[in-house]
């Protein structure tokens, strides 16, 4: 590393700061997404990733890479981009996931795009943050948290798809209901029942 590079790194000079803005989809994107949903193009990805989730839980190898997240009051899954999948389909899968969560009694609290310029690459992370509509468990004064607060991230590096992460954060407090099982959340997202 050059002396100049060393001082830039040490002092943080000339580094660009992360930028965050509201995530807004263009009309063209929305039209293509709606066509993708209407034609059932999502079925390949939802079926493959849902199967991969079950394989991972059972310790069985699968061609789709997934990683489970299990922490106190937090459960989730990461779906890694698989070569052979169209980048547009992966992006649509991200939006489809959000739309399915909305159908489960959630509201969209924020939609953001974070851009971080690192020394050798640029990272873009799109994030949807969803919360349950405020309501009590029927016949009680306990707040119904459903599956908890849901965060869905889609991360790309140098504009190449990386992964989609779905996280459910729950409260462990006497004023909140016990969260519904994360496995049920995924079932409702990837195998929705027709109404």
């Amino acid at each position: 590393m050059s002396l100049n590079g060393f001082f830039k790194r040490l002092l943080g000079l000339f580094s660009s700061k992360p930028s965050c803005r509201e995530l807004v989809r263009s009309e063209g994107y929305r039209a293509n997404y709606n066509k993708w949903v209407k034609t059932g193009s999502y079925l390949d990805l939802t079926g493959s990733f849902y199967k991969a989730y079950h394989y991972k839980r059972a310790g069985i190898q699968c061609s789709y890479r997934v990683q489970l997240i299990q922490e106190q009051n937090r459960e989730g899954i990461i779906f890694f981009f698989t070569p052979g999948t169209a980048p547009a389909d992966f992006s649509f899968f991200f939006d489809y996931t959000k739309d399915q969560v909305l159908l489960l009694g959630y509201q969209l609290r924020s939609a953001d795009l974070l851009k971080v310029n690192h020394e050798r690459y640029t990272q873009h992370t799109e994030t949807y943050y969803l919360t349950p509509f405020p309501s009590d468990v029927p016949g009680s004064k306990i707040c119904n948290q459903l599956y908890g607060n849901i965060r869905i991230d889609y991360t790309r590096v140098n504009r190449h798809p990386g992964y989609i992460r779905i996280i459910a954060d729950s409260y462990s407090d006497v004023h909140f209901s016990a969260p519904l099982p994360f496995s049920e959340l995924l079932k409702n997202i990837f195998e929705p029942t027709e109404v």
Side-chain angles (χ1 to χ4, degrees):
M1 178 184 298
S2 70
L3 188 58
N4 241 356
F6 172 76
F7 281 116
K8 284 181 186 177
R9 208 174 204 186
L10 179 67
L11 301 174
L13 298 175
F14 308 110
S15 66
S16 63
K17 296 187 177 172
S19 65
C20 188
R21 62 181 170 84
E22 183 180 2
L23 176 61
V24 179
R25 298 296 191 203
S26 69
E27 284 185 37
Y29 179 96
R30 287 195 310 267
N32 289 332
Y33 168 72
N34 290 332
K35 180 181 175 186
W36 185 81
V37 171
K38 191 173 189 174
T39 60
S41 298
Y42 61 90
L43 292 170
D44 285 337
L45 280 177
T46 57
S48 296
F49 279 127
Y50 192 51
K51 184 182 198 179
Y53 162 71
H54 287 291
Y55 279 17
K56 184 69 172 182
R57 285 183 65 190
I60 301 170
Q61 290 293 329
C62 182
S63 58
Y64 282 77
R65 263 184 55 214
V66 299
Q67 180 178 331
L68 303 179
I69 300 166
Q70 295 176 318
E71 301 169 1
Q72 185 175 353
N73 301 325
R74 171 180 282 190
E75 196 165 355
I77 190 164
I78 300 172
F79 299 108
F80 292 93
F81 179 75
T82 302
T85 302
D89 288 349
F90 202 62
S91 183
F92 293 157
F93 174 71
F94 168 68
D95 284 322
Y96 175 83
T97 302
K98 179 258 305 174
D99 288 346
Q100 292 304 114
V101 172
L102 289 172
L103 295 174
L104 299 174
Y106 278 77
Q107 59 188 329
L108 182 64
R109 298 304 260 168
S110 66
D112 302 308
L113 171 61
L114 174 67
K115 178 182 175 184
V116 181
N117 291 316
H118 298 278
E119 189 173 321
R120 294 193 175 115
Y121 64 92
T122 301
Q123 176 180 323
H124 290 85
T125 301
E126 299 174 355
T127 301
Y128 291 126
Y129 188 71
L130 303 104
T131 59
F133 283 103
S135 67
D136 290 340
V137 173
S140 76
K141 298 280 185 187
I142 297 173
C143 183
N144 189 355
Q145 69 174 319
L146 298 176
Y147 303 97
N149 297 332
I150 309 291
R151 179 182 170 136
I152 309 167
D153 298 316
Y154 172 33
T155 298
R156 293 176 288 134
V157 175
N158 291 338
R159 301 199 181 272
H160 297 290
Y163 60 87
I164 293 171
R165 177 176 56 186
I166 304 169
I167 300 270
D169 284 310
S170 60
Y171 297 103
S172 60
D173 185 288
V174 295
H175 300 290
F176 290 88
S177 65
L180 298 171
F182 185 75
S183 59
E184 183 182 304
L185 171 66
L186 291 185
K187 180 174 177 42
N188 287 326
I189 291 172
F190 299 131
E191 291 186 341
T193 55
E194 295 294 324
V195 181

